[in-house]
Amino acid sequence: DNETEESEAKFAAKDHYEKSNNDKRILMAMEIGLTNQDDTKFISYEHQVFKDAKMISAIKPNKPMLVDELRRRQIANGETNARAIGGMTRAALIRALEDNRSQM
């Protein structure tokens, strides 16, 4: 059922984050595409609070992290024909993550 699927997705995301040794950049990759109820971004490493604290470099996910996150979502969504994403630009990866936000 839907509640079980949501619980499994949350556990998978938590497990993925913990396996990264709680790397904040992984957490920030996982947040791409999350929105509030009013459809605004939930949070972003580009948020002013992180800019003011000069933390962006410590929390900005690198390209391999974005690739891994998109693959994780594709697998969680049951996509069997995952597109070749290794050659995608950073901007294209972010757009794909924003579009592929279910099962986070």
Side-chain angles (χ1 to χ4, degrees):
D1 68 5
N2 195 28
E3 189 173 314
T4 302
E5 288 175 10
E6 286 181 19
S7 178
E8 289 174 1
K10 287 178 185 176
F11 179 77
K14 181 178 182 254
D15 189 48
H16 177 65
Y17 176 59
E18 288 174 350
K19 284 182 180 176
S20 76
N21 293 318
N22 300 331
D23 189 325
K24 302 303 183 246
R25 297 172 301 163
I26 296 294
L27 187 62
M28 288 292 122
M30 291 171 67
E31 66 75 31
I32 296 171
L34 290 178
T35 56
N36 295 308
Q37 289 182 348
D38 64 359
D39 213 30
T40 58
K41 285 184 178 183
F42 176 67
I43 191 70
S44 170
Y45 59 87
E46 295 174 328
H47 192 277
Q48 192 62 43
V49 71
F50 298 123
K51 289 179 182 178
D52 291 346
K54 297 184 171 99
M55 294 177 57
I56 290 180
S57 62
I59 62 171
K60 182 178 179 180
N62 59 36
K63 186 177 172 185
M65 291 173 175
L66 297 175
V67 168
D68 288 348
E69 177 58 16
L70 185 53
R71 284 195 177 124
R72 186 187 72 78
R73 291 185 196 183
Q74 288 173 333
I75 291 166
N77 290 332
E79 294 181 32
T80 55
N81 295 325
R83 57 193 147 164
I85 58 177
M88 293 173 74
T89 65
R90 179 180 181 79
L93 285 163
I94 290 172
R95 279 192 306 275
L97 286 166
E98 289 172 342
D99 291 342
N100 189 342
R101 57 184 172 202
S102 61
Q103 296 290 331
M104 287 201 241

